[in-house]
Structures are given as C-alpha cells and as structure tokens.
Amino acid sequence: MPPAGQSIVVEIEAAIAGGSTAKCIETARRVTDLFLLSAGHFDDEQIELFDNVLERLVKTIELRAIADISARMALAEMSTQLAPIAQAPPSAVRQLARNDEISIAAPVLQESARLGDDDLVDIARTKSEQHLLAVAGRWWLKEVVTDALIFRRFASVSRRLVGNPGARISAAGFAVIVAQAENDPELAVEAGIRADLPAVLRQRLLTSATEAVRTKLLEHAPPHLFEEIRNAIAKAAASADREMSRVRDFATARQFVTKLKEKGGLNETVLAGFAKQRKYEETVVALAELAHSTIEVVRPLMQSLRHDGLLVACRAARLNWNTAAAVLECRYSSGSLGAAELARAKTEYAGITAENARRLMTFWQVRSGAPSRPN
C-alpha cells in the first residue's frame, strides 16, 4: 500500500478483528477513498494489496449487514464507486457482485469490467431474477453469458436482452425467446426486429403472432428489416390461408359421421378426438351435427382467421372449453395458437350463452340459404 495508507494498516486489522460495524464501515470508506484517489496509477502489486484489504472488509461488513441497514448502504455505496473503475480490486468486486442484496450487487453487475464471462455465467445460473436483469443490461455480452441468462426462462430478462444491442444471442437462445414470445406480445415485437434473429425463427415467430403483434412489428421495424419482416408476415398469412381454404372432400367424412350418429356413437368425446388428431373434415361434420347446423355454416367459421364465430358454434354444440380449444387449433395443420391467445378465447367463450349461440347459428343457417336442421 502507498505511504499514505500505511497509517491505517493497524486500524484495518483492528476493525476486522473486532471493531464495531460503524468502525468497519468508516475504515472501508477510507480505504476505498484512498484507492480511488490514484486508481489509474497503481501497479498490479499495489492493486492486489488493496484487493486483499477490501475483500476482507467487505466480507466482515456483509456478516453484519444482515441486521444493519447502514452496513448494506455502505456496501451499496462501495459497489457504486468501484463499478466504473477499470482497475478496481477484482476479488472485492466479485464479492460485491455475489451479494444477495441487489442494491449492493447491481452496480458492479451492470458495469464492472472486472467481472469475466465465468463470473457472469455463474451468477446467471445461481442468483435471483433481479441479478440476472442487472447482468442483462451490460453494454456487451457474449453468447455464453446470454445463453445462461436465457435458459433460466425469466421473461423480463429475455425482454431486456433483446432490447440490448450489445448482447449477442445464439440461435439456441433465440429459440427459447421465440417460444416465450408466443405468450408475450412485447417480447415478440422486440425479438422480431432484431437484425440477428435467424430467418427461420422470425418466420416461426410471425406464424404464431397475432395481427396486433404483426402490425407493431411493421411499425417498429428498422428500414433495413422492413421488407424482410413484411415478406415474412405475408408468407405466414398465406400459409394459414392455404391450410384453411384448400379444397376439401367432405363426402367420406359425412358418411363416416352419419354412421356413427346412427349407431349412437357421435358425442363430444368423439369430436374432441377428431380435433386433437387434426382431422379437419371429420371435425367440421361432427361439429355441424352436434350444433344442429350444417357444413355450409360451420365450414366458413373454420376457415376464418377469427375465432369468435367458431366459438359460437362450439357453444351451440354445448362443448366444454378443452374440446372447443381443440377445435380452434384443428384449423391449422400444425402449431398452436399460443397460451395468451387461447386464454383470450377462453374468456370470450365463457361469455357466450348457449341460447344466444343457438339463435346466431339459426340466423347464419337462414342467411346461408341451406336447409335448416331440426333442433
């Protein structure tokens, strides 16, 4: 330690050995101030000496910080002072970064260059969501660190990472984020406008995205990504349209379902089985039968990208929600609506009464010009 610091060596040892909390805090502040005074001019040996002293002081104060708010405040102050210093004592910084109190850990987690990738990965794997959020905001992050952060599956952390242009994200990390984005519109938009999002994952994200998310993506897309995102949206919409509106042959399905009905074997369980197996034609015919309607009425409801009309048909057939959800997803050859979209549909379904559903089905039947079915 430089000559100016020799006079407090004995004081440091005394404070660590058995001094009061206030004495430990005052000593730590004096050592920190002494280091900051000439931080850019110390050699490695001098920094190591400061490091040993500060690390011991930090550990001593941490033991007392559990029940002493002034000790926690002192450590948070030290963390804030050391965070921007490139030559900060490394062991002391690591000790602060691993503190369970986020007000103490956050400054060095967000900024200190003394924390290497191994330190950050270990913190990402073991510490709290708030610690992960602090790491996710660092100005530069390698994929090995972002993978560790993303694989903890905190949506808040994923949102911060995709909004951080200095965070490099691997394809595996983006795959997790795209899966999370199915239930998180904000994350879907932030991830969708990342230039480094792999094209195949952008297409997957847009295929399951709602119209609101697609619109926001176009509104927020940077100029160099606008055309790519617009083309991906068009491709996703065209794929859904092709699946819903392609030519269908209902003759075989009609014969099969009619025989089931004649034998008394047509019920909700059978319909649920058709829907879960993505047997489109059988699902349409069975739903029409159970709703006392016709294929001419039910098929346009299945073809629509909207699901409100189809929910009416399901309610008219007196289906429980799980069966209705299976019918909604049967419209697609693969994939899912996503938990958020299904949750909204479930709420809407709960608000439809069987009586109103039957009235609407009768009205649509008349409007279609098809012969009415006996109720």
Coordinates of all heavy atoms in Angstrom, one line a residue, residues 240-296:
A240 N -51.3 -19.9 -43.6 CA -52.6 -20.1 -42.9 C -53.8 -20.2 -43.8 O -54.6 -21.0 -43.7 CB -52.7 -19.0 -41.8
D241 N -53.8 -19.3 -44.8 CA -54.9 -19.2 -45.7 C -55.0 -20.5 -46.5 O -56.0 -21.1 -46.8 CB -54.8 -18.0 -46.7 CG -55.1 -16.7 -46.0 OD1 -55.7 -16.8 -44.9 OD2 -54.7 -15.7 -46.5
R242 N -53.8 -21.0 -47.0 CA -53.8 -22.2 -47.8 C -54.3 -23.4 -47.0 O -55.1 -24.2 -47.5 CB -52.4 -22.5 -48.3 CG -51.9 -21.6 -49.4 CD -50.7 -22.2 -50.1 NE -49.6 -22.4 -49.1 CZ -48.7 -21.4 -48.9 NH1 -48.8 -20.2 -49.5 NH2 -47.7 -21.6 -48.0
E243 N -53.9 -23.5 -45.8 CA -54.3 -24.6 -45.0 C -55.8 -24.6 -44.7 O -56.5 -25.6 -44.7 CB -53.6 -24.6 -43.6 CG -54.0 -25.7 -42.7 CD -53.8 -27.1 -43.3 OE1 -52.9 -27.3 -44.1 OE2 -54.6 -28.0 -42.9
M244 N -56.4 -23.3 -44.5 CA -57.8 -23.2 -44.1 C -58.7 -23.3 -45.3 O -59.8 -23.8 -45.2 CB -58.0 -21.9 -43.4 CG -57.4 -21.8 -42.0 SD -57.8 -20.2 -41.3 CE -56.9 -20.4 -39.7
S245 N -58.2 -22.9 -46.5 CA -59.2 -22.7 -47.6 C -58.9 -23.7 -48.7 O -59.6 -23.7 -49.8 CB -59.1 -21.3 -48.2 OG -57.8 -21.1 -48.6
R246 N -58.0 -24.6 -48.5 CA -57.7 -25.6 -49.6 C -59.0 -26.5 -49.9 O -59.8 -26.6 -49.0 CB -56.5 -26.5 -49.3 CG -56.6 -27.4 -48.1 CD -55.3 -28.1 -47.9 NE -55.3 -29.0 -46.7 CZ -55.7 -30.2 -46.7 NH1 -56.2 -30.8 -47.8 NH2 -55.7 -30.9 -45.6
V247 N -59.0 -27.1 -51.0 CA -60.2 -27.9 -51.4 C -60.3 -29.1 -50.5 O -59.4 -29.8 -50.2 CB -60.1 -28.4 -52.9 CG1 -61.2 -29.3 -53.2 CG2 -60.0 -27.2 -53.8
R248 N -61.5 -29.3 -50.0 CA -61.8 -30.4 -49.0 C -62.8 -31.3 -49.6 O -63.8 -30.8 -50.3 CB -62.3 -29.8 -47.7 CG -61.3 -28.8 -47.0 CD -60.2 -29.4 -46.2 NE -59.4 -28.5 -45.5 CZ -58.5 -28.8 -44.6 NH1 -58.2 -30.0 -44.4 NH2 -57.8 -27.8 -44.0
D249 N -62.7 -32.5 -49.3 CA -63.7 -33.5 -49.7 C -64.4 -34.0 -48.4 O -63.8 -34.8 -47.7 CB -63.1 -34.7 -50.4 CG -64.1 -35.7 -50.8 OD1 -65.3 -35.5 -50.7 OD2 -63.7 -36.8 -51.3
F250 N -65.7 -33.5 -48.2 CA -66.4 -33.9 -47.0 C -67.3 -35.1 -47.2 O -67.9 -35.6 -46.2 CB -67.3 -32.7 -46.6 CG -66.5 -31.5 -46.1 CD1 -66.1 -30.5 -46.9 CD2 -66.1 -31.5 -44.7 CE1 -65.4 -29.4 -46.4 CE2 -65.4 -30.4 -44.2 CZ -65.0 -29.4 -45.1
A251 N -67.3 -35.7 -48.4 CA -68.2 -36.8 -48.6 C -67.9 -38.0 -47.7 O -68.8 -38.6 -47.1 CB -68.2 -37.2 -50.1
T252 N -66.6 -38.4 -47.7 CA -66.2 -39.5 -46.9 C -66.5 -39.3 -45.4 O -67.0 -40.1 -44.7 CB -64.8 -39.9 -47.1 OG1 -64.6 -40.1 -48.5 CG2 -64.4 -41.1 -46.3
A253 N -66.1 -38.1 -45.0 CA -66.3 -37.7 -43.6 C -67.8 -37.7 -43.2 O -68.2 -38.1 -42.1 CB -65.7 -36.3 -43.3
R254 N -68.6 -37.2 -44.1 CA -70.1 -37.1 -43.9 C -70.6 -38.6 -43.7 O -71.4 -38.8 -42.8 CB -70.8 -36.4 -45.0 CG -72.2 -36.0 -44.7 CD -73.0 -35.7 -46.0 NE -72.3 -34.6 -46.7 CZ -72.7 -33.3 -46.6 NH1 -73.6 -33.0 -45.7 NH2 -72.1 -32.4 -47.3
Q255 N -70.2 -39.5 -44.6 CA -70.7 -40.9 -44.5 C -70.2 -41.5 -43.1 O -71.0 -42.2 -42.5 CB -70.1 -41.7 -45.6 CG -70.7 -41.3 -47.0 CD -70.0 -42.1 -48.1 OE1 -69.2 -42.9 -47.9 NE2 -70.4 -41.7 -49.3
F256 N -69.0 -41.3 -42.8 CA -68.5 -41.8 -41.5 C -69.2 -41.3 -40.3 O -69.6 -42.1 -39.4 CB -67.0 -41.6 -41.4 CG -66.3 -42.1 -40.2 CD1 -66.2 -43.5 -40.0 CD2 -65.8 -41.2 -39.2 CE1 -65.6 -44.0 -38.8 CE2 -65.2 -41.7 -38.1 CZ -65.1 -43.1 -37.9
V257 N -69.4 -40.0 -40.2 CA -70.0 -39.4 -39.1 C -71.5 -39.8 -39.0 O -72.1 -40.0 -38.0 CB -69.9 -37.8 -39.1 CG1 -70.7 -37.2 -38.0 CG2 -68.4 -37.5 -39.0
T258 N -72.1 -39.9 -40.2 CA -73.6 -40.3 -40.2 C -73.7 -41.7 -39.7 O -74.7 -41.9 -38.9 CB -74.1 -40.2 -41.7 OG1 -74.0 -38.9 -42.2 CG2 -75.5 -40.7 -41.7
K259 N -72.8 -42.6 -40.0 CA -72.9 -44.0 -39.5 C -72.7 -43.9 -37.9 O -73.4 -44.7 -37.2 CB -71.9 -44.8 -40.1 CG -72.2 -45.2 -41.6 CD -71.1 -46.1 -42.2 CE -71.4 -46.4 -43.6 NZ -70.4 -47.2 -44.3
L260 N -71.8 -43.1 -37.5 CA -71.5 -43.0 -36.1 C -72.8 -42.5 -35.4 O -73.2 -43.0 -34.3 CB -70.4 -42.0 -35.8 CG -69.0 -42.5 -35.8 CD1 -68.0 -41.4 -35.5 CD2 -68.8 -43.6 -34.7
K261 N -73.4 -41.5 -35.9 CA -74.7 -41.0 -35.3 C -75.8 -42.0 -35.3 O -76.5 -42.1 -34.3 CB -75.1 -39.7 -36.1 CG -76.3 -39.0 -35.6 CD -76.7 -37.8 -36.4 CE -78.0 -37.2 -35.9 NZ -78.4 -36.0 -36.7
E262 N -75.9 -42.7 -36.4 CA -77.0 -43.7 -36.5 C -76.8 -44.8 -35.4 O -77.8 -45.4 -34.9 CB -77.0 -44.4 -37.8 CG -77.5 -43.4 -38.9 CD -77.4 -44.0 -40.3 OE1 -76.7 -45.1 -40.4 OE2 -77.9 -43.4 -41.3
K263 N -75.5 -45.1 -35.0 CA -75.3 -46.1 -34.0 C -75.2 -45.5 -32.6 O -74.9 -46.2 -31.6 CB -73.9 -46.8 -34.3 CG -73.9 -47.6 -35.6 CD -72.5 -48.1 -35.9 CE -72.5 -48.9 -37.2 NZ -71.1 -49.5 -37.4
G264 N -75.5 -44.2 -32.5 CA -75.5 -43.5 -31.2 C -74.1 -43.3 -30.7 O -73.9 -43.1 -29.5
G265 N -73.1 -43.3 -31.6 CA -71.7 -43.1 -31.2 C -71.1 -41.7 -31.4 O -69.9 -41.5 -31.2
L266 N -72.0 -40.8 -31.8 CA -71.5 -39.4 -32.0 C -71.7 -38.6 -30.8 O -72.8 -38.3 -30.4 CB -72.2 -38.8 -33.2 CG -71.7 -37.3 -33.5 CD1 -70.2 -37.3 -33.9 CD2 -72.5 -36.8 -34.7
N267 N -70.6 -38.1 -30.2 CA -70.7 -37.3 -29.0 C -69.5 -36.4 -28.9 O -68.6 -36.3 -29.8 CB -70.8 -38.2 -27.7 CG -69.7 -39.2 -27.6 OD1 -68.6 -38.9 -28.0 ND2 -70.1 -40.4 -27.2
E268 N -69.4 -35.6 -27.8 CA -68.4 -34.6 -27.6 C -67.0 -35.3 -27.6 O -66.0 -34.8 -28.1 CB -68.6 -33.8 -26.4 CG -67.4 -32.8 -26.2 CD -67.7 -31.9 -25.0 OE1 -68.8 -31.9 -24.5 OE2 -66.7 -31.1 -24.6
T269 N -66.9 -36.5 -27.0 CA -65.6 -37.2 -26.9 C -65.1 -37.5 -28.2 O -63.9 -37.4 -28.5 CB -65.8 -38.4 -26.0 OG1 -66.3 -38.1 -24.7 CG2 -64.5 -39.2 -25.9
V270 N -66.0 -38.0 -29.1 CA -65.6 -38.3 -30.5 C -65.1 -37.1 -31.2 O -64.1 -37.1 -31.9 CB -66.7 -39.0 -31.2 CG1 -66.4 -39.2 -32.7 CG2 -67.1 -40.4 -30.6
L271 N -65.9 -36.0 -31.1 CA -65.5 -34.7 -31.7 C -64.1 -34.3 -31.2 O -63.2 -33.9 -32.0 CB -66.5 -33.7 -31.5 CG -66.2 -32.2 -31.9 CD1 -65.8 -32.2 -33.4 CD2 -67.3 -31.3 -31.6
A272 N -63.9 -34.4 -29.9 CA -62.6 -34.0 -29.3 C -61.5 -34.8 -29.9 O -60.4 -34.3 -30.2 CB -62.6 -34.1 -27.8
G273 N -61.7 -36.1 -30.1 CA -60.7 -37.0 -30.7 C -60.4 -36.5 -32.2 O -59.2 -36.5 -32.5
F274 N -61.4 -36.2 -32.9 CA -61.2 -35.7 -34.3 C -60.3 -34.5 -34.3 O -59.3 -34.4 -35.1 CB -62.5 -35.4 -35.0 CG -63.3 -36.6 -35.3 CD1 -64.7 -36.5 -35.4 CD2 -62.8 -37.9 -35.6 CE1 -65.5 -37.6 -35.8 CE2 -63.5 -39.0 -35.9 CZ -64.9 -38.8 -36.0
A275 N -60.7 -33.5 -33.4 CA -60.0 -32.2 -33.4 C -58.5 -32.4 -33.0 O -57.6 -31.8 -33.6 CB -60.7 -31.3 -32.5
K276 N -58.3 -33.2 -31.9 CA -56.9 -33.4 -31.4 C -56.0 -34.1 -32.4 O -54.8 -33.9 -32.5 CB -56.9 -34.1 -30.1 CG -57.5 -33.3 -29.0 CD -57.7 -34.1 -27.7 CE -58.3 -33.3 -26.6 NZ -58.5 -34.1 -25.3
Q277 N -56.6 -34.9 -33.3 CA -55.9 -35.6 -34.3 C -55.8 -34.8 -35.6 O -55.2 -35.2 -36.6 CB -56.5 -37.0 -34.6 CG -56.5 -37.9 -33.5 CD -57.2 -39.2 -33.8 OE1 -57.0 -39.9 -34.7 NE2 -58.2 -39.5 -32.9
R278 N -56.3 -33.5 -35.6 CA -56.3 -32.6 -36.7 C -57.0 -33.2 -37.9 O -56.6 -33.0 -39.1 CB -54.9 -32.2 -37.1 CG -54.0 -31.7 -35.9 CD -54.4 -30.4 -35.5 NE -53.6 -30.0 -34.3 CZ -52.9 -28.8 -34.1 NH1 -52.9 -28.0 -35.1 NH2 -52.3 -28.6 -33.0
K279 N -58.1 -34.0 -37.7 CA -58.9 -34.5 -38.7 C -60.0 -33.4 -39.1 O -61.0 -33.4 -38.5 CB -59.6 -35.8 -38.3 CG -58.6 -36.9 -38.1 CD -59.3 -38.2 -37.8 CE -58.4 -39.4 -37.7 NZ -59.0 -40.7 -37.4
Y280 N -59.6 -32.6 -40.0 CA -60.3 -31.4 -40.3 C -61.7 -31.7 -40.8 O -62.7 -31.2 -40.2 CB -59.6 -30.6 -41.4 CG -60.2 -29.2 -41.7 CD1 -59.8 -28.1 -41.1 CD2 -61.2 -29.1 -42.7 CE1 -60.3 -26.8 -41.4 CE2 -61.8 -27.9 -43.0 CZ -61.3 -26.7 -42.3 OH -61.9 -25.5 -42.6
E281 N -61.9 -32.5 -41.8 CA -63.2 -32.8 -42.4 C -64.1 -33.4 -41.3 O -65.3 -33.0 -41.2 CB -63.1 -33.7 -43.6 CG -62.5 -33.0 -44.8 CD -60.9 -33.1 -44.8 OE1 -60.4 -33.5 -43.8 OE2 -60.3 -32.8 -45.8
E282 N -63.6 -34.4 -40.6 CA -64.4 -35.1 -39.6 C -64.9 -34.1 -38.5 O -66.0 -34.2 -38.0 CB -63.7 -36.3 -39.0 CG -63.5 -37.5 -39.9 CD -62.4 -37.3 -40.9 OE1 -61.7 -36.2 -40.9 OE2 -62.0 -38.3 -41.6
T283 N -63.9 -33.2 -38.2 CA -64.3 -32.2 -37.1 C -65.4 -31.3 -37.6 O -66.3 -31.0 -36.8 CB -63.0 -31.4 -36.8 OG1 -62.0 -32.3 -36.3 CG2 -63.3 -30.4 -35.7
V284 N -65.3 -30.8 -38.8 CA -66.3 -29.9 -39.3 C -67.7 -30.6 -39.3 O -68.7 -30.1 -38.9 CB -66.0 -29.4 -40.7 CG1 -67.2 -28.7 -41.4 CG2 -64.8 -28.5 -40.7
V285 N -67.7 -31.8 -39.9 CA -69.0 -32.6 -40.0 C -69.6 -32.9 -38.6 O -70.8 -32.7 -38.3 CB -68.8 -33.9 -40.8 CG1 -70.2 -34.6 -40.8 CG2 -68.4 -33.5 -42.2
A286 N -68.7 -33.3 -37.7 CA -69.2 -33.7 -36.3 C -69.7 -32.4 -35.6 O -70.7 -32.5 -34.9 CB -68.1 -34.4 -35.5
L287 N -69.0 -31.3 -35.7 CA -69.4 -30.1 -35.1 C -70.7 -29.6 -35.6 O -71.6 -29.2 -34.9 CB -68.3 -29.0 -35.2 CG -68.6 -27.6 -34.6 CD1 -68.9 -27.7 -33.1 CD2 -67.5 -26.6 -34.9
A288 N -70.9 -29.7 -36.9 CA -72.2 -29.3 -37.5 C -73.3 -30.1 -37.0 O -74.4 -29.6 -36.7 CB -72.1 -29.4 -39.1
E289 N -73.1 -31.4 -36.8 CA -74.1 -32.3 -36.3 C -74.5 -32.0 -34.9 O -75.6 -31.8 -34.5 CB -73.7 -33.8 -36.4 CG -73.7 -34.3 -37.8 CD -75.1 -34.6 -38.4 OE1 -76.0 -34.5 -37.6 OE2 -75.2 -34.8 -39.6
L290 N -73.5 -31.8 -34.0 CA -73.7 -31.6 -32.6 C -74.3 -30.2 -32.4 O -75.0 -30.0 -31.3 CB -72.4 -31.7 -31.8 CG -71.9 -33.2 -31.8 CD1 -70.5 -33.2 -31.0 CD2 -72.9 -34.1 -31.1
A291 N -74.0 -29.2 -33.3 CA -74.6 -27.9 -33.1 C -75.9 -27.8 -33.8 O -76.5 -26.7 -33.9 CB -73.6 -26.9 -33.7
H292 N -76.4 -28.9 -34.4 CA -77.7 -28.9 -35.1 C -77.6 -27.9 -36.3 O -78.6 -27.1 -36.5 CB -78.9 -28.6 -34.2 CG -79.0 -29.6 -33.1 ND1 -79.4 -30.9 -33.3 CD2 -78.7 -29.5 -31.8 CE1 -79.4 -31.5 -32.1 NE2 -79.0 -30.7 -31.2
S293 N -76.5 -27.9 -37.0 CA -76.3 -27.0 -38.1 C -75.9 -27.8 -39.3 O -76.2 -29.0 -39.4 CB -75.3 -25.9 -37.7 OG -75.2 -24.9 -38.7
T294 N -75.2 -27.1 -40.3 CA -74.8 -27.8 -41.5 C -73.3 -27.4 -41.8 O -72.8 -26.5 -41.3 CB -75.6 -27.3 -42.7 OG1 -75.5 -25.9 -42.9 CG2 -77.1 -27.7 -42.5
I295 N -72.7 -28.2 -42.7 CA -71.4 -28.0 -43.1 C -71.3 -26.6 -43.7 O -70.3 -25.9 -43.5 CB -70.9 -29.1 -44.1 CG1 -70.9 -30.4 -43.4 CG2 -69.6 -28.7 -44.7 CD1 -70.6 -31.6 -44.3
E296 N -72.3 -26.2 -44.5 CA -72.3 -24.9 -45.2 C -72.1 -23.7 -44.2 O -71.6 -22.7 -44.5 CB -73.5 -24.7 -46.0 CG -73.6 -25.6 -47.2 CD -74.0 -27.0 -46.9 OE1 -74.4 -27.3 -45.7 OE2 -73.9 -27.9 -47.8

